[in-house]
Amino acid sequence: PVRRELARAVTGDPDDAAPLARLRQRRLLSAHGTPGDETLEPRHDRIRELVLATTPDRIAIHRAWAALLAARDADPEWRLLHHREAGERELAAVCAERAAERATEALAFHHAAELFAEALALGGPATLQRRRAEALVGCGRAPEAADAWLLAAAEVGPAEAIDLRRRAAEQLLLAGHAERGKLVAAQVLGPLGM
């Protein structure tokens, strides 16, 4: 669903009444709300998929949506979608990080972990691996959190890496992965002469 005012801004067509009336008459589009503040959406997912598949310049449309949403300081997750589809990986990574931070603040740790992973896949800074590990701990995914801590440890100096490996060992042991937890703990204790 999209607000009519936003659709108008992206298409640049202030007079959309006739095309919208034809789409409604053919039962391809539904509109909800009051005139002037309507929300538009295709009647069926297949209609949306067909429109997307036959749109000649999808990248330009996604760029236009991303720019419009950025100008309105819209939800970073919506912006992420459009920047990613437009091939704007750097901007998409920034939006994924912001969306992950919002999810963390809302205590939606599972979603935050997914968004941090997406930010990393889009080329976000390696420091996000720690944030992802913390989110994974928050949602009880200890073995995955351990893997994230170990990835983060590979990106820092030796002293800091010890603490991150300790966190990984702790998560593994708490999750019942005793053998692997002992191996990682040995990597922590060895440099300390223990």
Side-chain angles (χ1 to χ4, degrees), residues 1-8 14 16-21 24 29-41 65:
V2 64
R3 290 182 50 209
R4 184 174 178 179
E5 148 196 359
L6 293 177
R8 251 191 230 131
D16 60 0
L20 288 178
R24 283 187 200 153
L29 181 78
S30 61
H32 310 283
T34 58
D37 190 30
E38 293 171 296
T39 301
L40 308 172
E41 64 181 315
W65 272 110

mmCIF file of all heavy atoms in Angstrom, residues 1-8 14 16-21 24 29-41 65:
data_model
loop_
_atom_site.group_PDB
_atom_site.id
_atom_site.type_symbol
_atom_site.label_atom_id
_atom_site.label_comp_id
_atom_site.label_asym_id
_atom_site.label_seq_id
_atom_site.Cartn_x
_atom_site.Cartn_y
_atom_site.Cartn_z
ATOM 1 N N PRO A 1 0.829 -1.198 0.000
ATOM 2 C CA PRO A 1 0.000 0.000 0.000
ATOM 3 C C PRO A 1 0.870 1.256 0.000
ATOM 4 O O PRO A 1 1.900 1.282 0.637
ATOM 5 C CB PRO A 1 -0.800 -0.100 1.287
ATOM 6 C CG PRO A 1 -0.493 -1.410 1.902
ATOM 7 C CD PRO A 1 0.631 -2.013 1.163
ATOM 8 N N VAL A 2 0.403 2.242 -0.730
ATOM 9 C CA VAL A 2 1.140 3.498 -0.805
ATOM 10 C C VAL A 2 0.141 4.649 -0.772
ATOM 11 O O VAL A 2 -0.953 4.555 -1.319
ATOM 12 C CB VAL A 2 2.015 3.542 -2.085
ATOM 13 C CG1 VAL A 2 1.164 3.531 -3.331
ATOM 14 C CG2 VAL A 2 2.928 4.736 -2.071
ATOM 15 N N ARG A 3 0.544 5.712 -0.098
ATOM 16 C CA ARG A 3 -0.327 6.885 -0.064
ATOM 17 C C ARG A 3 -0.363 7.535 -1.436
ATOM 18 O O ARG A 3 0.646 7.635 -2.122
ATOM 19 C CB ARG A 3 0.166 7.860 1.000
ATOM 20 C CG ARG A 3 -0.081 7.291 2.398
ATOM 21 C CD ARG A 3 0.332 8.199 3.510
ATOM 22 N NE ARG A 3 -0.197 9.532 3.359
ATOM 23 C CZ ARG A 3 0.420 10.609 3.829
ATOM 24 N NH1 ARG A 3 1.549 10.505 4.462
ATOM 25 N NH2 ARG A 3 -0.110 11.798 3.666
ATOM 26 N N ARG A 4 -1.524 7.965 -1.820
ATOM 27 C CA ARG A 4 -1.726 8.547 -3.154
ATOM 28 C C ARG A 4 -0.814 9.739 -3.384
ATOM 29 O O ARG A 4 -0.252 9.906 -4.462
ATOM 30 C CB ARG A 4 -3.197 8.951 -3.298
ATOM 31 C CG ARG A 4 -3.544 9.473 -4.664
ATOM 32 C CD ARG A 4 -5.023 9.721 -4.784
ATOM 33 N NE ARG A 4 -5.369 10.270 -6.079
ATOM 34 C CZ ARG A 4 -6.602 10.555 -6.435
ATOM 35 N NH1 ARG A 4 -7.600 10.333 -5.605
ATOM 36 N NH2 ARG A 4 -6.834 11.054 -7.626
ATOM 37 N N GLU A 5 -0.650 10.551 -2.369
ATOM 38 C CA GLU A 5 0.202 11.741 -2.470
ATOM 39 C C GLU A 5 1.648 11.343 -2.825
ATOM 40 O O GLU A 5 2.291 11.995 -3.638
ATOM 41 C CB GLU A 5 0.134 12.483 -1.128
ATOM 42 C CG GLU A 5 1.345 13.215 -0.716
ATOM 43 C CD GLU A 5 1.343 13.584 0.774
ATOM 44 O OE1 GLU A 5 0.395 13.295 1.513
ATOM 45 O OE2 GLU A 5 2.335 14.198 1.169
ATOM 46 N N LEU A 6 2.144 10.243 -2.258
ATOM 47 C CA LEU A 6 3.497 9.795 -2.575
ATOM 48 C C LEU A 6 3.569 9.268 -4.006
ATOM 49 O O LEU A 6 4.535 9.531 -4.724
ATOM 50 C CB LEU A 6 3.943 8.709 -1.596
ATOM 51 C CG LEU A 6 4.137 9.132 -0.146
ATOM 52 C CD1 LEU A 6 4.495 7.942 0.714
ATOM 53 C CD2 LEU A 6 5.222 10.198 -0.046
ATOM 54 N N ALA A 7 2.560 8.514 -4.421
ATOM 55 C CA ALA A 7 2.537 7.993 -5.790
ATOM 56 C C ALA A 7 2.542 9.149 -6.793
ATOM 57 O O ALA A 7 3.236 9.099 -7.811
ATOM 58 C CB ALA A 7 1.317 7.104 -5.999
ATOM 59 N N ARG A 8 1.790 10.188 -6.486
ATOM 60 C CA ARG A 8 1.755 11.373 -7.353
ATOM 61 C C ARG A 8 3.135 12.004 -7.449
ATOM 62 O O ARG A 8 3.580 12.403 -8.514
ATOM 63 C CB ARG A 8 0.790 12.403 -6.777
ATOM 64 C CG ARG A 8 -0.451 12.542 -7.569
ATOM 65 C CD ARG A 8 -1.237 13.764 -7.106
ATOM 66 N NE ARG A 8 -2.587 13.330 -6.883
ATOM 67 C CZ ARG A 8 -3.299 13.580 -5.818
ATOM 68 N NH1 ARG A 8 -2.800 14.295 -4.826
ATOM 69 N NH2 ARG A 8 -4.519 13.147 -5.704
ATOM 70 N N PRO A 14 0.273 15.239 -11.402
ATOM 71 C CA PRO A 14 -0.665 15.764 -10.412
ATOM 72 C C PRO A 14 -2.123 15.419 -10.733
ATOM 73 O O PRO A 14 -2.974 15.435 -9.858
ATOM 74 C CB PRO A 14 -0.443 17.274 -10.457
ATOM 75 C CG PRO A 14 0.097 17.523 -11.827
ATOM 76 C CD PRO A 14 0.860 16.285 -12.215
ATOM 77 N N ASP A 16 -4.062 12.519 -11.559
ATOM 78 C CA ASP A 16 -4.108 11.066 -11.669
ATOM 79 C C ASP A 16 -5.525 10.510 -11.541
ATOM 80 O O ASP A 16 -5.729 9.305 -11.492
ATOM 81 C CB ASP A 16 -3.214 10.431 -10.617
ATOM 82 C CG ASP A 16 -3.639 10.793 -9.198
ATOM 83 O OD1 ASP A 16 -4.619 11.537 -9.028
ATOM 84 O OD2 ASP A 16 -2.993 10.329 -8.250
ATOM 85 N N ALA A 17 -6.523 11.364 -11.511
ATOM 86 C CA ALA A 17 -7.899 10.920 -11.268
ATOM 87 C C ALA A 17 -8.402 9.966 -12.346
ATOM 88 O O ALA A 17 -8.970 8.907 -12.037
ATOM 89 C CB ALA A 17 -8.833 12.120 -11.139
ATOM 90 N N ALA A 18 -8.204 10.293 -13.606
ATOM 91 C CA ALA A 18 -8.729 9.449 -14.690
ATOM 92 C C ALA A 18 -8.045 8.071 -14.722
ATOM 93 O O ALA A 18 -8.735 7.047 -14.764
ATOM 94 C CB ALA A 18 -8.593 10.165 -16.032
ATOM 95 N N PRO A 19 -6.696 8.000 -14.665
ATOM 96 C CA PRO A 19 -6.072 6.664 -14.667
ATOM 97 C C PRO A 19 -6.479 5.831 -13.450
ATOM 98 O O PRO A 19 -6.725 4.632 -13.569
ATOM 99 C CB PRO A 19 -4.571 6.954 -14.641
ATOM 100 C CG PRO A 19 -4.416 8.365 -15.034
ATOM 101 C CD PRO A 19 -5.697 9.057 -14.738
ATOM 102 N N LEU A 20 -6.583 6.462 -12.298
ATOM 103 C CA LEU A 20 -6.987 5.726 -11.099
ATOM 104 C C LEU A 20 -8.419 5.222 -11.219
ATOM 105 O O LEU A 20 -8.720 4.092 -10.811
ATOM 106 C CB LEU A 20 -6.835 6.591 -9.845
ATOM 107 C CG LEU A 20 -5.399 6.861 -9.390
ATOM 108 C CD1 LEU A 20 -5.394 7.760 -8.168
ATOM 109 C CD2 LEU A 20 -4.657 5.576 -9.120
ATOM 110 N N ALA A 21 -9.292 6.023 -11.786
ATOM 111 C CA ALA A 21 -10.687 5.608 -11.969
ATOM 112 C C ALA A 21 -10.756 4.388 -12.886
ATOM 113 O O ALA A 21 -11.510 3.439 -12.620
ATOM 114 C CB ALA A 21 -11.521 6.753 -12.530
ATOM 115 N N ARG A 24 -9.540 1.325 -10.951
ATOM 116 C CA ARG A 24 -10.569 0.879 -9.997
ATOM 117 C C ARG A 24 -11.720 0.189 -10.718
ATOM 118 O O ARG A 24 -12.223 -0.833 -10.266
ATOM 119 C CB ARG A 24 -11.101 2.066 -9.203
ATOM 120 C CG ARG A 24 -10.177 2.530 -8.131
ATOM 121 C CD ARG A 24 -10.884 3.580 -7.301
ATOM 122 N NE ARG A 24 -9.923 4.356 -6.581
ATOM 123 C CZ ARG A 24 -10.113 5.606 -6.202
ATOM 124 N NH1 ARG A 24 -11.234 6.227 -6.488
ATOM 125 N NH2 ARG A 24 -9.197 6.247 -5.540
ATOM 126 N N LEU A 29 -7.107 -2.051 -8.850
ATOM 127 C CA LEU A 29 -6.578 -1.222 -7.778
ATOM 128 C C LEU A 29 -7.674 -0.931 -6.766
ATOM 129 O O LEU A 29 -8.831 -0.736 -7.141
ATOM 130 C CB LEU A 29 -6.074 0.109 -8.377
ATOM 131 C CG LEU A 29 -5.459 1.115 -7.428
ATOM 132 C CD1 LEU A 29 -4.034 0.689 -7.091
ATOM 133 C CD2 LEU A 29 -5.449 2.490 -8.073
ATOM 134 N N SER A 30 -7.297 -0.926 -5.506
ATOM 135 C CA SER A 30 -8.265 -0.502 -4.499
ATOM 136 C C SER A 30 -7.688 0.703 -3.759
ATOM 137 O O SER A 30 -6.477 0.859 -3.648
ATOM 138 C CB SER A 30 -8.584 -1.642 -3.523
ATOM 139 O OG SER A 30 -7.434 -2.038 -2.840
ATOM 140 N N ALA A 31 -8.576 1.551 -3.301
ATOM 141 C CA ALA A 31 -8.186 2.750 -2.567
ATOM 142 C C ALA A 31 -8.954 2.769 -1.262
ATOM 143 O O ALA A 31 -10.133 2.448 -1.208
ATOM 144 C CB ALA A 31 -8.501 3.992 -3.395
ATOM 145 N N HIS A 32 -8.250 3.119 -0.200
ATOM 146 C CA HIS A 32 -8.852 3.188 1.132
ATOM 147 C C HIS A 32 -8.588 4.564 1.718
ATOM 148 O O HIS A 32 -7.560 5.159 1.457
ATOM 149 C CB HIS A 32 -8.247 2.115 2.044
ATOM 150 C CG HIS A 32 -8.227 0.752 1.445
ATOM 151 N ND1 HIS A 32 -9.323 -0.040 1.349
ATOM 152 C CD2 HIS A 32 -7.213 0.043 0.880
ATOM 153 C CE1 HIS A 32 -9.008 -1.176 0.769
ATOM 154 N NE2 HIS A 32 -7.732 -1.151 0.468
ATOM 155 N N GLY A 33 -9.473 5.033 2.526
ATOM 156 C CA GLY A 33 -9.302 6.323 3.181
ATOM 157 C C GLY A 33 -10.204 7.375 2.581
ATOM 158 O O GLY A 33 -11.100 7.083 1.793
ATOM 159 N N THR A 34 -9.942 8.598 2.958
ATOM 160 C CA THR A 34 -10.757 9.710 2.492
ATOM 161 C C THR A 34 -10.112 10.352 1.273
ATOM 162 O O THR A 34 -8.890 10.297 1.118
ATOM 163 C CB THR A 34 -10.899 10.773 3.596
ATOM 164 O OG1 THR A 34 -9.584 11.219 3.964
ATOM 165 C CG2 THR A 34 -11.602 10.219 4.819
ATOM 166 N N PRO A 35 -10.898 10.950 0.381
ATOM 167 C CA PRO A 35 -10.319 11.614 -0.793
ATOM 168 C C PRO A 35 -9.260 12.627 -0.369
ATOM 169 O O PRO A 35 -9.452 13.398 0.563
ATOM 170 C CB PRO A 35 -11.520 12.297 -1.444
ATOM 171 C CG PRO A 35 -12.700 11.481 -1.010
ATOM 172 C CD PRO A 35 -12.366 11.014 0.390
ATOM 173 N N GLY A 36 -8.137 12.568 -1.046
ATOM 174 C CA GLY A 36 -7.019 13.450 -0.702
ATOM 175 C C GLY A 36 -6.034 12.788 0.254
ATOM 176 O O GLY A 36 -4.889 13.184 0.336
ATOM 177 N N ASP A 37 -6.491 11.778 0.978
ATOM 178 C CA ASP A 37 -5.607 11.065 1.898
ATOM 179 C C ASP A 37 -5.827 9.562 1.732
ATOM 180 O O ASP A 37 -6.011 8.834 2.692
ATOM 181 C CB ASP A 37 -5.873 11.505 3.339
ATOM 182 C CG ASP A 37 -4.822 10.968 4.295
ATOM 183 O OD1 ASP A 37 -3.673 10.780 3.859
ATOM 184 O OD2 ASP A 37 -5.159 10.715 5.463
ATOM 185 N N GLU A 38 -5.811 9.124 0.480
ATOM 186 C CA GLU A 38 -6.092 7.727 0.184
ATOM 187 C C GLU A 38 -4.820 6.890 0.188
ATOM 188 O O GLU A 38 -3.733 7.380 -0.092
ATOM 189 C CB GLU A 38 -6.730 7.607 -1.197
ATOM 190 C CG GLU A 38 -8.101 8.224 -1.291
ATOM 191 C CD GLU A 38 -8.571 8.263 -2.721
ATOM 192 O OE1 GLU A 38 -7.939 8.965 -3.514
ATOM 193 O OE2 GLU A 38 -9.565 7.582 -3.017
ATOM 194 N N THR A 39 -5.010 5.618 0.459
ATOM 195 C CA THR A 39 -3.955 4.634 0.330
ATOM 196 C C THR A 39 -4.326 3.737 -0.839
ATOM 197 O O THR A 39 -5.440 3.231 -0.911
ATOM 198 C CB THR A 39 -3.823 3.801 1.623
ATOM 199 O OG1 THR A 39 -3.533 4.678 2.698
ATOM 200 C CG2 THR A 39 -2.727 2.780 1.496
ATOM 201 N N LEU A 40 -3.390 3.551 -1.749
ATOM 202 C CA LEU A 40 -3.632 2.764 -2.954
ATOM 203 C C LEU A 40 -2.884 1.442 -2.852
ATOM 204 O O LEU A 40 -1.760 1.399 -2.347
ATOM 205 C CB LEU A 40 -3.134 3.518 -4.187
ATOM 206 C CG LEU A 40 -3.616 4.956 -4.361
ATOM 207 C CD1 LEU A 40 -2.868 5.611 -5.508
ATOM 208 C CD2 LEU A 40 -5.113 4.979 -4.598
ATOM 209 N N GLU A 41 -3.514 0.379 -3.380
ATOM 210 C CA GLU A 41 -2.806 -0.892 -3.459
ATOM 211 C C GLU A 41 -3.440 -1.772 -4.524
ATOM 212 O O GLU A 41 -4.636 -1.685 -4.784
ATOM 213 C CB GLU A 41 -2.778 -1.609 -2.113
ATOM 214 C CG GLU A 41 -4.115 -2.046 -1.570
ATOM 215 C CD GLU A 41 -3.988 -2.718 -0.207
ATOM 216 O OE1 GLU A 41 -3.097 -3.570 -0.040
ATOM 217 O OE2 GLU A 41 -4.773 -2.371 0.671
ATOM 218 N N TRP A 65 11.668 6.716 -5.771
ATOM 219 C CA TRP A 65 11.054 6.413 -4.466
ATOM 220 C C TRP A 65 12.046 6.662 -3.330
ATOM 221 O O TRP A 65 11.700 7.235 -2.297
ATOM 222 C CB TRP A 65 10.579 4.970 -4.428
ATOM 223 C CG TRP A 65 9.195 4.790 -4.944
ATOM 224 C CD1 TRP A 65 8.833 4.184 -6.108
ATOM 225 C CD2 TRP A 65 7.982 5.230 -4.331
ATOM 226 N NE1 TRP A 65 7.468 4.225 -6.253
ATOM 227 C CE2 TRP A 65 6.921 4.855 -5.174
ATOM 228 C CE3 TRP A 65 7.691 5.911 -3.159
ATOM 229 C CZ2 TRP A 65 5.590 5.136 -4.881
ATOM 230 C CZ3 TRP A 65 6.368 6.189 -2.854
ATOM 231 C CH2 TRP A 65 5.339 5.804 -3.719
#
